[in-house]
mmCIF file of all heavy atoms in Angstrom:
data_model
loop_
_atom_site.group_PDB
_atom_site.id
_atom_site.type_symbol
_atom_site.label_atom_id
_atom_site.label_comp_id
_atom_site.label_asym_id
_atom_site.label_seq_id
_atom_site.Cartn_x
_atom_site.Cartn_y
_atom_site.Cartn_z
ATOM 1 N N LEU A 32 2.364 15.013 0.094
ATOM 2 C CA LEU A 32 1.446 16.177 0.020
ATOM 3 C C LEU A 32 1.957 17.287 0.965
ATOM 4 O O LEU A 32 2.667 17.144 1.924
ATOM 5 C CB LEU A 32 0.028 15.706 0.527
ATOM 6 C CG LEU A 32 -0.609 14.597 -0.407
ATOM 7 C CD1 LEU A 32 -1.906 14.197 0.190
ATOM 8 C CD2 LEU A 32 -0.842 15.291 -1.819
ATOM 9 N N PRO A 33 1.651 18.460 0.620
ATOM 10 C CA PRO A 33 2.129 19.602 1.446
ATOM 11 C C PRO A 33 1.465 19.672 2.813
ATOM 12 O O PRO A 33 0.397 18.979 2.981
ATOM 13 C CB PRO A 33 1.737 20.774 0.697
ATOM 14 C CG PRO A 33 0.586 20.331 -0.218
ATOM 15 C CD PRO A 33 0.918 18.961 -0.495
ATOM 16 N N LEU A 34 2.154 20.217 3.812
ATOM 17 C CA LEU A 34 1.650 20.325 5.157
ATOM 18 C C LEU A 34 0.314 20.954 5.179
ATOM 19 O O LEU A 34 -0.625 20.555 6.085
ATOM 20 C CB LEU A 34 2.671 21.039 6.027
ATOM 21 C CG LEU A 34 2.250 21.168 7.492
ATOM 22 C CD1 LEU A 34 2.183 19.638 8.119
ATOM 23 C CD2 LEU A 34 3.259 21.991 8.243
ATOM 24 N N ARG A 35 0.012 21.898 4.414
ATOM 25 C CA ARG A 35 -1.326 22.527 4.370
ATOM 26 C C ARG A 35 -2.435 21.613 4.116
ATOM 27 O O ARG A 35 -3.484 21.713 4.741
ATOM 28 C CB ARG A 35 -1.264 23.638 3.180
ATOM 29 C CG ARG A 35 -2.532 24.475 3.095
ATOM 30 C CD ARG A 35 -2.319 25.581 2.064
ATOM 31 N NE ARG A 35 -1.207 25.367 1.122
ATOM 32 C CZ ARG A 35 -1.245 25.003 -0.094
ATOM 33 N NH1 ARG A 35 -2.385 25.050 -0.739
ATOM 34 N NH2 ARG A 35 -0.170 24.904 -0.869
ATOM 35 N N PHE A 36 -2.252 20.535 3.312
ATOM 36 C CA PHE A 36 -3.202 19.530 3.077
ATOM 37 C C PHE A 36 -3.624 18.787 4.428
ATOM 38 O O PHE A 36 -4.788 18.642 4.638
ATOM 39 C CB PHE A 36 -2.718 18.510 2.040
ATOM 40 C CG PHE A 36 -3.688 17.351 1.882
ATOM 41 C CD1 PHE A 36 -4.766 17.484 1.070
ATOM 42 C CD2 PHE A 36 -3.492 16.150 2.567
ATOM 43 C CE1 PHE A 36 -5.707 16.371 0.834
ATOM 44 C CE2 PHE A 36 -4.315 15.095 2.350
ATOM 45 C CZ PHE A 36 -5.475 15.185 1.461
ATOM 46 N N TYR A 37 -2.707 18.374 5.131
ATOM 47 C CA TYR A 37 -2.921 17.769 6.353
ATOM 48 C C TYR A 37 -3.560 18.745 7.526
ATOM 49 O O TYR A 37 -4.392 18.357 8.289
ATOM 50 C CB TYR A 37 -1.689 17.076 6.853
ATOM 51 C CG TYR A 37 -1.153 16.051 5.979
ATOM 52 C CD1 TYR A 37 -0.008 16.154 5.214
ATOM 53 C CD2 TYR A 37 -1.787 14.867 5.833
ATOM 54 C CE1 TYR A 37 0.440 15.310 4.320
ATOM 55 C CE2 TYR A 37 -1.273 13.794 4.999
ATOM 56 C CZ TYR A 37 -0.177 14.061 4.240
ATOM 57 O OH TYR A 37 0.343 13.115 3.356
ATOM 58 N N ARG A 38 -3.080 19.963 7.538
ATOM 59 C CA ARG A 38 -3.582 20.839 8.462
ATOM 60 C C ARG A 38 -5.055 21.191 8.177
ATOM 61 O O ARG A 38 -5.798 21.394 9.142
ATOM 62 C CB ARG A 38 -2.697 22.142 8.431
ATOM 63 C CG ARG A 38 -3.120 23.138 9.507
ATOM 64 C CD ARG A 38 -2.309 24.440 9.346
ATOM 65 N NE ARG A 38 -2.713 25.020 8.067
ATOM 66 C CZ ARG A 38 -1.958 25.692 7.223
ATOM 67 N NH1 ARG A 38 -0.707 25.837 7.523
ATOM 68 N NH2 ARG A 38 -2.324 26.231 6.072
ATOM 69 N N ASP A 39 -5.391 21.398 6.983
ATOM 70 C CA ASP A 39 -6.742 21.797 6.525
ATOM 71 C C ASP A 39 -7.706 20.608 6.385
ATOM 72 O O ASP A 39 -8.861 20.783 6.080
ATOM 73 C CB ASP A 39 -6.687 22.566 5.255
ATOM 74 C CG ASP A 39 -5.992 23.921 5.470
ATOM 75 O OD1 ASP A 39 -5.877 24.407 6.579
ATOM 76 O OD2 ASP A 39 -5.345 24.424 4.443
ATOM 77 N N TRP A 40 -7.214 19.377 6.620
ATOM 78 C CA TRP A 40 -8.124 18.192 6.401
ATOM 79 C C TRP A 40 -9.244 18.187 7.391
ATOM 80 O O TRP A 40 -9.091 18.353 8.536
ATOM 81 C CB TRP A 40 -7.244 16.962 6.409
ATOM 82 C CG TRP A 40 -8.042 15.660 6.394
ATOM 83 C CD1 TRP A 40 -8.352 14.878 7.251
ATOM 84 C CD2 TRP A 40 -8.600 15.098 5.165
ATOM 85 N NE1 TRP A 40 -9.167 13.808 6.846
ATOM 86 C CE2 TRP A 40 -9.279 13.919 5.499
ATOM 87 C CE3 TRP A 40 -8.559 15.443 3.792
ATOM 88 C CZ2 TRP A 40 -9.853 13.105 4.532
ATOM 89 C CZ3 TRP A 40 -9.094 14.618 2.905
ATOM 90 C CH2 TRP A 40 -9.814 13.386 3.343
ATOM 91 N N LYS A 41 -10.490 18.075 6.831
ATOM 92 C CA LYS A 41 -11.630 18.122 7.653
ATOM 93 C C LYS A 41 -12.309 16.718 7.704
ATOM 94 O O LYS A 41 -13.409 16.636 8.233
ATOM 95 C CB LYS A 41 -12.709 19.101 7.166
ATOM 96 C CG LYS A 41 -12.155 20.431 7.132
ATOM 97 C CD LYS A 41 -11.923 21.045 8.476
ATOM 98 C CE LYS A 41 -11.550 22.517 8.434
ATOM 99 N NZ LYS A 41 -10.465 22.990 9.217
ATOM 100 N N GLY A 42 -11.792 15.745 7.080
ATOM 101 C CA GLY A 42 -12.386 14.386 7.049
ATOM 102 C C GLY A 42 -13.034 14.096 5.703
ATOM 103 O O GLY A 42 -12.899 14.975 4.816
ATOM 104 N N HIS A 43 -13.501 12.909 5.602
ATOM 105 C CA HIS A 43 -14.158 12.642 4.317
ATOM 106 C C HIS A 43 -15.382 13.378 4.059
ATOM 107 O O HIS A 43 -16.234 13.549 5.064
ATOM 108 C CB HIS A 43 -14.430 11.118 4.304
ATOM 109 C CG HIS A 43 -13.221 10.248 4.273
ATOM 110 N ND1 HIS A 43 -12.329 10.190 3.253
ATOM 111 C CD2 HIS A 43 -12.656 9.469 5.280
ATOM 112 C CE1 HIS A 43 -11.369 9.402 3.542
ATOM 113 N NE2 HIS A 43 -11.524 8.895 4.810
ATOM 114 N N GLU A 44 -15.636 13.909 2.954
ATOM 115 C CA GLU A 44 -16.730 14.781 2.657
ATOM 116 C C GLU A 44 -17.967 14.022 2.340
ATOM 117 O O GLU A 44 -19.073 14.576 2.479
ATOM 118 C CB GLU A 44 -16.372 15.782 1.485
ATOM 119 C CG GLU A 44 -15.161 16.585 1.863
ATOM 120 C CD GLU A 44 -14.615 17.446 0.626
ATOM 121 O OE1 GLU A 44 -15.192 17.166 -0.497
ATOM 122 O OE2 GLU A 44 -13.746 18.183 0.879
ATOM 123 N N SER A 45 -17.870 12.853 1.847
ATOM 124 C CA SER A 45 -19.083 12.022 1.550
ATOM 125 C C SER A 45 -18.900 10.625 1.818
ATOM 126 O O SER A 45 -17.723 10.102 2.098
ATOM 127 C CB SER A 45 -19.425 12.374 0.037
ATOM 128 O OG SER A 45 -18.531 11.629 -0.791
ATOM 129 N N ASN A 46 -19.951 9.870 1.710
ATOM 130 C CA ASN A 46 -19.797 8.497 1.907
ATOM 131 C C ASN A 46 -19.067 7.765 0.807
ATOM 132 O O ASN A 46 -18.377 6.729 1.090
ATOM 133 C CB ASN A 46 -21.255 7.812 1.964
ATOM 134 C CG ASN A 46 -21.183 6.386 2.627
ATOM 135 O OD1 ASN A 46 -20.277 6.105 3.338
ATOM 136 N ND2 ASN A 46 -22.207 5.625 2.213
ATOM 137 N N ASP A 47 -19.083 8.349 -0.369
ATOM 138 C CA ASP A 47 -18.298 7.794 -1.499
ATOM 139 C C ASP A 47 -16.799 7.822 -1.178
ATOM 140 O O ASP A 47 -16.020 6.896 -1.473
ATOM 141 C CB ASP A 47 -18.595 8.483 -2.851
ATOM 142 C CG ASP A 47 -20.010 8.321 -3.274
ATOM 143 O OD1 ASP A 47 -20.572 7.320 -2.942
ATOM 144 O OD2 ASP A 47 -20.594 9.136 -3.904
ATOM 145 N N HIS A 48 -16.321 9.005 -0.581
ATOM 146 C CA HIS A 48 -14.925 9.153 -0.158
ATOM 147 C C HIS A 48 -14.556 8.049 0.823
ATOM 148 O O HIS A 48 -13.466 7.491 0.828
ATOM 149 C CB HIS A 48 -14.658 10.508 0.418
ATOM 150 C CG HIS A 48 -14.592 11.573 -0.811
ATOM 151 N ND1 HIS A 48 -15.351 12.596 -0.673
ATOM 152 C CD2 HIS A 48 -13.748 11.616 -1.880
ATOM 153 C CE1 HIS A 48 -15.082 13.431 -1.744
ATOM 154 N NE2 HIS A 48 -14.122 12.783 -2.499
ATOM 155 N N VAL A 49 -15.449 7.775 1.740
ATOM 156 C CA VAL A 49 -15.190 6.724 2.809
ATOM 157 C C VAL A 49 -15.111 5.435 2.163
ATOM 158 O O VAL A 49 -14.118 4.632 2.479
ATOM 159 C CB VAL A 49 -16.354 6.702 3.813
ATOM 160 C CG1 VAL A 49 -16.162 5.574 4.723
ATOM 161 C CG2 VAL A 49 -16.388 7.975 4.532
ATOM 162 N N ILE A 50 -15.889 5.058 1.286
ATOM 163 C CA ILE A 50 -15.900 3.795 0.530
ATOM 164 C C ILE A 50 -14.633 3.633 -0.286
ATOM 165 O O ILE A 50 -13.919 2.629 -0.309
ATOM 166 C CB ILE A 50 -17.127 3.541 -0.344
ATOM 167 C CG1 ILE A 50 -18.370 3.460 0.610
ATOM 168 C CG2 ILE A 50 -17.005 2.359 -1.307
ATOM 169 C CD1 ILE A 50 -19.725 3.494 -0.141
ATOM 170 N N LEU A 51 -14.174 4.728 -0.971
ATOM 171 C CA LEU A 51 -13.042 4.649 -1.704
ATOM 172 C C LEU A 51 -11.748 4.605 -0.861
ATOM 173 O O LEU A 51 -10.930 3.709 -1.229
ATOM 174 C CB LEU A 51 -12.873 5.986 -2.575
ATOM 175 C CG LEU A 51 -11.668 6.149 -3.400
ATOM 176 C CD1 LEU A 51 -11.674 5.089 -4.463
ATOM 177 C CD2 LEU A 51 -11.508 7.552 -3.925
ATOM 178 N N ALA A 52 -11.675 5.286 0.241
ATOM 179 C CA ALA A 52 -10.526 5.110 1.231
ATOM 180 C C ALA A 52 -10.527 3.702 1.720
ATOM 181 O O ALA A 52 -9.414 3.048 1.858
ATOM 182 C CB ALA A 52 -10.752 6.068 2.253
ATOM 183 N N HIS A 53 -11.654 3.055 2.013
ATOM 184 C CA HIS A 53 -11.708 1.709 2.459
ATOM 185 C C HIS A 53 -11.234 0.706 1.472
ATOM 186 O O HIS A 53 -10.566 -0.219 1.785
ATOM 187 C CB HIS A 53 -13.160 1.295 2.957
ATOM 188 C CG HIS A 53 -13.243 -0.009 3.609
ATOM 189 N ND1 HIS A 53 -13.439 -1.141 2.906
ATOM 190 C CD2 HIS A 53 -13.103 -0.320 4.887
ATOM 191 C CE1 HIS A 53 -13.482 -2.214 3.807
ATOM 192 N NE2 HIS A 53 -13.272 -1.738 4.985
ATOM 193 N N GLN A 54 -11.555 0.962 0.175
ATOM 194 C CA GLN A 54 -11.093 0.126 -0.800
ATOM 195 C C GLN A 54 -9.562 0.246 -1.175
ATOM 196 O O GLN A 54 -8.783 -0.767 -1.374
ATOM 197 C CB GLN A 54 -11.789 0.419 -2.198
ATOM 198 C CG GLN A 54 -13.219 -0.019 -2.135
ATOM 199 C CD GLN A 54 -13.973 0.452 -3.375
ATOM 200 O OE1 GLN A 54 -13.598 1.307 -4.128
ATOM 201 N NE2 GLN A 54 -15.204 -0.082 -3.598
ATOM 202 N N VAL A 55 -9.069 1.580 -0.970
ATOM 203 C CA VAL A 55 -7.623 1.784 -1.203
ATOM 204 C C VAL A 55 -6.848 1.313 -0.056
ATOM 205 O O VAL A 55 -5.769 0.548 -0.213
ATOM 206 C CB VAL A 55 -7.302 3.248 -1.495
ATOM 207 C CG1 VAL A 55 -5.916 3.539 -1.593
ATOM 208 C CG2 VAL A 55 -8.060 3.684 -2.630
ATOM 209 N N TYR A 56 -7.180 1.622 1.139
ATOM 210 C CA TYR A 56 -6.398 1.335 2.390
ATOM 211 C C TYR A 56 -6.780 0.235 3.203
ATOM 212 O O TYR A 56 -5.952 -0.201 4.088
ATOM 213 C CB TYR A 56 -6.251 2.645 3.180
ATOM 214 C CG TYR A 56 -5.685 3.804 2.513
ATOM 215 C CD1 TYR A 56 -6.534 4.931 2.296
ATOM 216 C CD2 TYR A 56 -4.418 3.855 2.067
ATOM 217 C CE1 TYR A 56 -6.050 6.049 1.621
ATOM 218 C CE2 TYR A 56 -3.906 4.993 1.437
ATOM 219 C CZ TYR A 56 -4.766 6.024 1.273
ATOM 220 O OH TYR A 56 -4.291 7.141 0.555
#
Side-chain angles (χ1 to χ4, degrees):
L32 297 173
L34 182 61
R35 181 174 17 113
F36 173 80
Y37 297 106
R38 185 186 64 216
D39 297 337
W40 177 256
K41 301 292 187 225
H43 295 293
E44 298 170 355
S45 69
N46 196 27
D47 293 334
H48 286 123
V49 173
I50 292 171
L51 178 64
H53 187 271
Q54 290 172 350
V55 172
Y56 301 113

